């Protein structure tokens, strides 16, 4: 949401304040952190790996990492998963693995292969079947994407934009705020080129909201003969799989007036902003709709509001198009810990948002999260794998073991409910999210153990990926993200 007038800012600030009070008064209190339940099977003696170094271990040391640097020992386990392509059409919601997550052993972490003190963690190997990998990106020439942003923010996002947009015949137009740094435009375009991001930019001194709304005209003027969909995104909108996106839109006839996007997950937001497509999940306007709207452009431009609201007002006032809600697009209006969303047994989201918001708890490194696609394809991102001892890997995100009290534990593999890990409003607050994310279940506070992915290293031109999942001590008031390192699980993916 981007506010225009001071009045709106004041209103939003006031409602945030109320919300904040509501949350802090009614917040469920967490019990003290449970001891780490790292399993205790002995290490596999057949593992012939002669020495061990942790990829990018340095981020585990020092600040926010291991406190005693003169003795950087750590509890660690390793899993090696080789993937083999098969004729299975898609992944099941959860795929069983035939091995247990191995016991962790204490090792010394180092980047130095010649260090005589290096030891190796217990390692388990397995092979999993995956759907056959596509050889190329889809042809997305029917889509043109637009975003209003600054050079600095766009530069930061290019790696992630490259994941979904490269080599797909699509077009992305950035409506840029002029930068004080004269080198910025050139630098950003060069970086985009090196990452195969099909970026073009225009620049204007308009305010943010006007640059956003103006995209309607800018995208139309930059269309090609194949353009059918005009898509408004934020610089932190992330598409996991462009193939899924293209496939999803096949069912709509773009010559008809379609207005497609996602509602807010939070009904309170809708009480304020209304029934409309919220920008972060991506707003998709068909060619038919855009041609109908353009004659009203000037009038709509004058009705000041947030960018996504301006679009909605314009569409509702002048056409009979109504929002079509594509449920797998996600604005992700959730405060606090988003893990329940990512770990739920649901189809892969089409889009996610707010993954780099300033709310630390919701930060997800989507770049590293999606690296594993080079080994096992986009459909493998966030795919759930269940170890024989009931640990659950959400690929690129976490490895968790639910507590025995939790419904998700009893029905692991079948329970599609989403653990409500984010802040809610006490009492009836769960209901505020059920229209979008239900069924929900309450937070597992009985001793769930979580390792979050913090690093992914690509080796052998993408044929091997080493992911590090880290458990940290719990700090009051937030998920374990900033605590001290308590244990590490490395998952190495390679092609069989
Ligand atoms: C907090 O809880 C109290 C008592 O259960 C309830 O009356 C109040 O409405 C709740 N506040 C919010 C913001 O949900
Ligand atoms: C750090 O490790 C060294 C070497 O094992 C040990 O002598 C020292 O007591 C440790 N310091 C702390 C604060 O634990
Ligand atoms: C991804 O992981 C690598 C390896 O640890 C790390 O250097 C990098 O900072 C991480 N995040 C991004 C966005 O590259």
């Amino acid at each position: 949401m981007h506010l225009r007038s001071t009045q709106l800012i004041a209103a939003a600030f006031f409602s945030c304040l109320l919300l904040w009070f509501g949350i802090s008064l009614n917040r469920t209190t967490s019990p003290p952190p449970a001891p780490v339940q790292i399993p205790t099977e002995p290490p596999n003696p057949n593992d012939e790996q002669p020495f061990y170094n942790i990829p990018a271990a340095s981020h585990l040391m020092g600040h926010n990492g291991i406190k005693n640097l003169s003795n950087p020992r750590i509890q660690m386990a390793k899993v090696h998963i080789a993937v083999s392509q098969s004729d299975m059409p898609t992944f099941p919601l959860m795929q069983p693995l035939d091995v247990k997550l191995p016991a962790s052993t204490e090792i010394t972490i180092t980047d130095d292969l010649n260090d005589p003190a290096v030891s190796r963690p217990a390692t388990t190997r397995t092979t999993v079947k995956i759907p056959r990998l596509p050889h190329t990106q889809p042809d997305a020439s029917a889509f043109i994407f637009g975003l209003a942003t600054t050079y600095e923010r766009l530069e930061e996002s290019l790696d992630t934009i490259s994941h979904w947009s490269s080599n797909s015949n699509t077009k992305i137009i950035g409506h840029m705020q002029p930068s004080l740094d004269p080198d910025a435009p050139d630098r950003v375009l060069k970086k985009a080129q090196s990452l195969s991001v099909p970026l073009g930019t225009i620049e204007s001194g308009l305010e943010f909201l006007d640059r956003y709304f103006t995209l309607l005209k800018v995208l139309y003027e930059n269309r090609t003969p194949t353009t059918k969909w005009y898509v408004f995104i934020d610089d932190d909108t992330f598409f996991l799989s462009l193939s899924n996106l293209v496939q999803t839109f096949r069912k709509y006839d773009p010559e008809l007036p379609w207005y497609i996007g996602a509602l807010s997950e939070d009904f309170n937001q809708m009480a304020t902003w209304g029934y409309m497509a919220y920008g972060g999940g991506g707003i998709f306007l068909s060619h038919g709709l855009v041609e109908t709207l353009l004659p009203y452009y000037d009038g709509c431009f004058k009705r000041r509001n947030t960018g996504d609201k301006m679009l909605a007002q314009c569409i509702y006032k002048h056409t009979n198009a109504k929002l079509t809600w594509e449920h797998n697009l996600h604005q992700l209006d959730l405060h606090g810990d988003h893990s329940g969303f990512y770990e739920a047994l649901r189809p892969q989201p089409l889009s996610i948002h707010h993954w780099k918001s300033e709310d630390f708890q919701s930060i997800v490194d989507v770049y590293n999260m999606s690296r594993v696609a080079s080994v096992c394809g986009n459909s493998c991102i966030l795919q759930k794998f269940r170890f024989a001892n009931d640990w659950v890997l959400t690929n690129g995100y976490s490895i968790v073991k639910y507590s025995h009290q939790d419904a998700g534990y009893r029905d692991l593999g079948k329970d599609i409910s989403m653990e409500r890990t984010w802040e809610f409003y006490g009492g009836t607050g769960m209901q505020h999210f059920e229209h979008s994310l239900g069924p929900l279940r309450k937070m597992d506070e009985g001793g769930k153990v979580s390792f979050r992915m913090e690093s992914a290293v690509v080796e052998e031109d993408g044929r091997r990926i080493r992911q590090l999942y880290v458990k940290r001590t719990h700090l009051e008031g937030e998920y374990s993200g900033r605590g001290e390192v308590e244990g590490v699980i490395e998952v190495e993916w390679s092609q069989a």
Side-chain angles (χ1 to χ4, degrees):
M1 287 306 205
H2 303 278
L3 303 167
R4 185 183 181 85
S5 69
T6 46
Q7 203 179 4
L8 279 170
I9 289 170
F13 176 70
F14 191 56
S15 61
C16 283
L17 207 64
L18 285 178
L19 208 65
W20 186 80
F21 276 118
I23 289 165
S24 51
L25 287 175
N26 286 4
R27 202 175 156 161
T28 49
T29 50
S30 315
V36 193
Q37 295 169 4
I38 296 181
T40 53
E41 295 87 19
N44 180 357
N46 298 328
D47 181 12
E48 69 288 352
Q49 199 173 334
F51 49 71
Y52 196 70
N53 78 318
I54 297 187
S58 53
H59 95 279
L60 298 175
M61 321 249 299
H63 182 62
N64 283 345
I66 295 162
K67 286 225 177 93
N68 190 350
L69 292 180
S70 63
N71 183 24
R73 295 181 74 75
I74 201 171
Q75 289 292 320
M76 181 156 184
K78 174 164 179 173
V79 184
H80 183 154
I81 304 178
V83 303
S84 111
Q85 298 186 45
S86 75
D87 287 328
M88 68 199 274
T90 53
F91 277 111
L93 287 180
M94 189 181 276
Q95 173 123 326
L97 299 176
D98 56 6
V99 294
K100 293 179 177 179
L101 185 70
S104 61
T105 48
E106 196 178 64
I107 66 155
T108 304
I109 67 169
T110 176
D111 277 330
D112 179 6
L113 295 182
N114 300 316
D115 183 343
V118 293
S119 43
R120 60 193 164 82
T123 303
T124 287
R125 294 166 192 281
T126 188
T127 302
V128 296
K129 285 199 177 359
I130 60 165
R132 205 160 291 290
L133 295 176
H135 291 293
T136 53
Q137 276 271 71
D139 174 14
S141 57
F143 294 76
I144 182 168
F145 296 85
L147 71 170
T149 186
T150 63
Y151 288 104
E152 290 69 24
R153 284 186 60 101
L154 184 56
E155 190 168 18
E156 263 175 36
S157 297
L158 280 174
D159 288 320
T160 64
I161 295 175
S162 164
H163 165 75
W164 55 266
S165 69
S166 60
N167 310 315
S168 65
N169 297 327
T170 189
K171 254 177 127 173
I172 301 176
I173 310 286
H175 195 167
M176 312 305 294
Q177 178 184 318
S179 174
L180 294 176
D181 172 2
D183 300 331
D186 216 37
R187 197 174 60 238
V188 169
L189 284 174
K190 283 218 176 83
K191 183 172 177 189
Q193 209 167 27
S194 73
L195 293 166
S196 309
V197 174
L199 178 73
T201 56
I202 62 159
E203 200 177 283
S204 78
L206 293 173
E207 281 181 47
F208 173 80
L209 298 171
D210 294 340
R211 277 185 289 122
Y212 187 95
F213 188 76
T214 317
L215 282 170
L216 183 59
K217 219 172 201 168
V218 172
L219 291 184
Y220 188 75
E221 284 161 1
N222 283 280
R223 73 191 184 283
T224 67
T226 55
T227 302
K228 297 294 173 204
W229 294 101
Y230 302 79
V231 191
F232 292 67
I233 56 173
D234 287 355
D235 53 24
D236 57 347
T237 302
F238 184 70
F239 297 107
L240 285 85
S241 158
L242 196 64
S243 312
N244 283 352
L245 193 72
V246 169
Q247 181 62 35
T248 301
F249 277 80
R250 291 224 169 101
K251 61 181 180 275
Y252 302 110
D253 176 356
E255 300 310 325
L256 299 178
W258 287 106
Y259 169 40
I260 299 172
L263 293 173
S264 173
E265 288 80 4
D266 181 352
F267 211 87
N268 277 1
Q269 291 289 332
M270 287 169 47
T272 309
W273 301 102
Y275 189 85
M276 61 173 205
Y278 286 72
I283 302 177
F284 297 74
L285 309 186
S286 65
H287 185 69
L289 181 62
V290 170
E291 296 215 305
T292 313
L293 280 181
L294 284 172
Y296 304 106
Y297 176 86
D298 290 338
C300 292
F301 188 78
K302 291 191 190 112
R303 307 187 75 207
R304 295 293 187 251
N305 217 313
T306 62
D308 43 10
K309 180 87 185 170
M310 275 169 87
L311 269 181
Q313 281 174 337
C314 192
I315 293 165
Y316 292 154
K317 195 173 164 69
H318 300 291
T319 78
N320 67 354
K322 299 288 172 272
L323 172 67
T324 296
W325 179 14
E326 262 301 334
H327 295 178
N328 277 338
L329 297 170
H330 284 286
Q331 154 89 359
L332 276 187
D333 273 333
L334 307 175
H335 293 277
D337 184 357
H338 287 190
S339 58
F341 171 81
Y342 289 101
E343 291 164 355
L345 275 198
R346 304 287 176 88
Q348 188 186 60
L350 281 173
S351 65
I352 53 182
H353 180 232
H354 279 156
W355 50 268
K356 69 170 183 186
S357 79
E358 272 147 41
D359 181 356
F360 176 79
Q361 302 178 78
S362 65
I363 289 179
V364 181
D365 181 351
V366 296
Y367 176 75
N368 280 336
M369 179 181 95
S370 54
R371 289 305 83 192
V372 74
S374 70
V375 174
C376 57
N378 283 331
S379 62
C380 189
I381 305 168
L382 296 178
Q383 170 61 19
K384 278 66 181 181
F385 296 92
R386 175 190 190 169
F387 288 94
N389 49 357
D390 285 348
W391 285 80
V392 178
L393 164 65
T394 297
N395 198 2
Y397 186 79
S398 70
I399 297 177
V400 304
K401 187 152 191 176
Y402 293 105
S403 75
H404 288 260
Q405 289 91 331
D406 186 75
Y409 177 85
R410 287 195 302 271
D411 291 327
L412 208 60
K414 290 197 199 89
D415 185 349
I416 59 153
S417 67
M418 184 178 288
E419 184 189 358
R420 196 276 311 154
T421 52
W422 57 92
E423 306 291 356
F424 70 129
Y425 316 118
T428 61
M430 290 275 260
Q431 289 170 12
H432 290 281
F433 301 96
E434 279 171 343
H435 72 284
S436 58
L437 299 176
L440 301 176
R441 65 174 190 265
K442 63 183 192 350
M443 181 142 71
D444 181 355
E445 293 182 303
K448 174 181 170 185
V449 184
S450 292
F451 290 72
R452 287 283 172 85
M453 198 187 84
E454 292 193 4
S455 149
V457 175
V458 177
E459 295 173 351
E460 296 174 25
D461 288 338
R463 287 193 305 275
R464 180 184 301 276
I465 306 285
R466 298 169 71 182
Q467 302 169 322
L468 284 191
Y469 296 82
V470 182
K471 172 163 176 34
R472 292 177 178 271
T473 50
H474 180 84
L475 296 182
E476 196 49 51
E478 58 179 51
Y479 102 93
S480 58
R482 275 198 262 234
E484 218 177 307
V485 175
E486 287 188 319
V488 173
I489 300 168
E490 181 182 335
V491 180
E492 179 175 323
W493 293 88
S494 62
Q495 283 166 9

